[in-house]
């Protein structure tokens, strides 16, 4: 029998520093009205300078372990666009700080689709018998890669972390991930990019002046990204609904990547899911990239929206371009 990956714990963390739209309007040519009406975002959290992604990941990871009722896992996967260092991966340090000793640990880089990719990777490890319990963390400090002079990106992204524990179980159990749909289109890689800092354009090559080079900041072409996000999330969600045997109108909660409320509503409309069934927390946290889906799950659970037995569809889209979806029936869990 196939070993399914079953949701056994959930925990999140956001740094306490809140940046409102009005805060940004004081330093950028933007307004609360523009940001709210174009994105749905009212505020985001930015970590204080000196905070790294691993710091947020440890907080969320610890809460997810506690929520799962056991501190033991045999694999840690961290999805992030903003690793602590180019080398090594963030996950081994996080595992160490969580007291997980010699467990396997690696990072997944799939930008805003990272968490869905990481859950698929963890489910694969469980199905193959490589791991029995996996800690999957999505964590980001986008504040470290946002160009403070770029109003098209600075208003959108926030920092945060979310984590789940997946354990080996039966595909028919509540909480079992009911398949994974993943995809990418690298021909459009330049739509979402940090151009320098990797092997193609080492920082030294662009760092002639004393100021931080623009190429080391995150860049995004919002309009085409919006279009592709809707198309890909719809197709990927449909693939998962088909695999799960669920009609769109039977979905209790659509938990989409929190990029823009207009994207979430467009995807829900095209899928035939009522907009009221769309979980939205981006108004309070912005787009937290790889942390987005677990933060939205935790928000919905703590607001009492998600109840055991609910059918939950998750779908994400991000740089790469990448996209992915999965689904589960919400289990009895106490979130951390
Ligand atoms: N404040 C005020 N005006 C702004 C602004 C800001 N923060 N950012 C852009 N503008 C201006 C533009 O300069 C443009 O002005 P112009 O008409 O004079 O040229 C106008 O607002 C419209 O810009 P546009 O980029 O066409 O807006 P939009 O409706 O496409 O919204 C995004 C921009 C970024 C919010 C939207 O494209 C989006 O959400 N894209 C997807 C982002 C995403 O999902 N990213 C993550 C994927 S992982």
């Amino acid at each position: 029998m196939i070993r399914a990956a079953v949701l056994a714990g959930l925990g999140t963390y956001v740094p306490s520093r809140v940046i409102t739209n009005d805060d940004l309007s004081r330093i950028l040519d933007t307004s609360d009205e523009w940001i709210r009406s174009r994105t749905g975002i009212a505020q985001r959290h930015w970590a204080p300078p000196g905070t790294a992604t691993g710091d947020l990941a440890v907080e969320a990871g610890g809460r997810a372990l506690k929520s799962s009722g056991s501190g033991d896992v045999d694999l840690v996967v961290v999805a992030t666009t903003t690793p602590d260092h180019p080398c090594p991966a963030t996950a081994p340090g996080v595992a160490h700080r969580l007291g997980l000793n010699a467990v396997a640990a690696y990072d997944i880089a799939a930008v805003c689709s990272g968490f869905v990719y990481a859950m698929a990777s963890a489910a694969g490890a469980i199905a193959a018998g490589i791991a029995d319990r996996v800690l999957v963390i999505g964590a980001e400090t986008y504040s470290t890669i946002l160009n403070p002079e770029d109003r098209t990106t600075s208003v959108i992204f926030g920092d945060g972390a979310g984590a789940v524990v997946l354990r080996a179980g039966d595909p028919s159990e509540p909480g079992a991930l009911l398949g994974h749909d993943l995809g990418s289109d690298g021909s459009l890689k330049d739509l979402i990019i940090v151009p320098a800092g990797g092997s193609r354009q080492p920082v030294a090559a662009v760092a002639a002046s004393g100021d931080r080079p623009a190429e080391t900041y995150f860049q995004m072409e919002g309009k085409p990204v919006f279009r592709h996000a809707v198309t890909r999330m719809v197709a990927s969600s449909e693939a998962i609904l088909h695999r799960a045997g669920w009609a769109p109108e039977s979905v209790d909660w659509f938990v989409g990547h929190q990029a823009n409320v207009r994207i979430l509503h467009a995807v829900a409309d095209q899928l035939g899911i009522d907009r009221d069934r769309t979980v939205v927390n981006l108004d309070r946290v912005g787009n937290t990239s790889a942390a987005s889906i677990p933060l939205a799950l935790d928000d919905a659970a703590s607001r009492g929206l998600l109840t055991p037995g609910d059918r939950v569809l998750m779908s994400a889209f991000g740089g790469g371009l990448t996209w992915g979806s999965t689904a589960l029936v919400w289990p009895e869990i106490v979130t951390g």
Side-chain angles (χ1 to χ4, degrees):
M1 200 201 15
I2 292 174
R3 284 164 31 116
V6 179
L7 181 67
L10 170 64
T12 59
Y13 177 78
V14 287
S16 60
R17 188 165 69 126
V18 171
I19 308 291
T20 65
N21 292 346
D22 285 335
D23 291 334
L24 293 176
S25 307
R26 282 190 276 280
I27 50 174
L28 286 166
D29 181 15
T30 189
S31 65
D32 178 51
E33 200 282 325
W34 190 96
I35 302 168
R36 271 181 207 264
S37 62
R38 305 311 296 161
T39 70
I41 297 166
Q43 64 169 52
R44 71 289 293 141
H45 296 253
W46 281 358
T51 308
T53 293
D55 301 333
L56 309 188
V58 166
E59 295 291 339
R63 290 174 190 193
L65 289 172
K66 192 166 166 226
S67 153
S68 79
S70 163
D72 275 340
V73 294
D74 32 29
L75 170 62
V76 175
V77 185
V78 173
T80 187
T81 321
T82 50
D84 288 10
H85 316 280
C87 168
T90 303
V94 170
H96 170 71
R97 288 169 66 186
L98 287 169
L100 296 171
N101 296 322
V103 299
Y106 59 88
D107 288 3
I108 293 257
V111 197
C112 299
S113 311
F115 192 77
V116 173
Y117 266 64
M119 284 202 296
S121 170
I126 287 172
I130 294 167
D132 292 328
R133 286 171 60 87
V134 185
L135 177 60
V136 179
I137 308 174
E140 302 281 14
T141 45
Y142 261 65
S143 58
T144 63
I145 57 167
L146 291 173
N147 184 339
E149 293 174 4
D150 182 359
R151 68 178 180 171
T152 67
T153 53
S154 277
V155 303
I156 292 173
F157 292 89
D159 299 342
V164 296
V165 173
L166 298 176
R167 64 162 172 82
D170 187 290
S172 62
E173 282 186 67
L177 296 177
L178 302 171
H180 306 269
D181 178 76
L182 305 177
S184 76
D185 181 356
S187 72
L188 297 171
K189 69 179 176 53
D190 292 343
L191 292 183
I192 295 173
I193 192 165
V194 178
S199 56
R200 192 160 296 287
Q201 204 178 357
V203 170
V206 292
S209 80
D211 294 335
R212 178 166 170 176
E215 295 90 335
T216 66
Y217 287 117
F218 179 90
Q219 299 171 8
M220 178 175 70
E221 289 184 42
K223 258 203 187 328
V225 167
F226 190 111
R227 240 184 25 250
H228 288 293
V230 174
T231 313
R232 295 301 189 177
M233 283 167 74
V234 168
S236 181
S237 296
E238 282 174 343
I240 282 297
L241 290 177
H242 179 73
R243 221 167 289 172
W246 294 355
E249 57 276 13
S250 76
V251 171
D252 292 298
W253 294 107
F254 169 51
V255 183
H257 168 51
Q258 304 284 306
N260 185 319
V261 74
R262 293 187 295 135
I263 293 177
L264 292 174
H265 285 163
V267 173
D269 290 352
Q270 289 190 30
L271 286 172
I273 295 173
D274 198 301
R275 286 186 180 191
D276 291 348
R277 296 277 126 195
T278 301
V279 170
V280 177
N281 73 328
L282 59 81
D283 51 322
R284 282 153 289 139
V285 296
N287 179 344
T288 57
S289 193
S292 168
I293 286 198
L295 279 170
L297 287 173
D298 197 15
D299 181 72
S302 55
R303 283 195 284 147
L305 301 179
L306 285 177
T307 50
D310 281 354
R311 290 181 166 188
V312 180
L313 168 68
M314 292 165 265
S315 187
F317 175 87
L321 299 176
T322 55
W323 55 86
S325 305
T326 187
L328 55 71
V329 173
W330 195 249
E332 296 265 7
I333 55 167
V334 182
T335 61

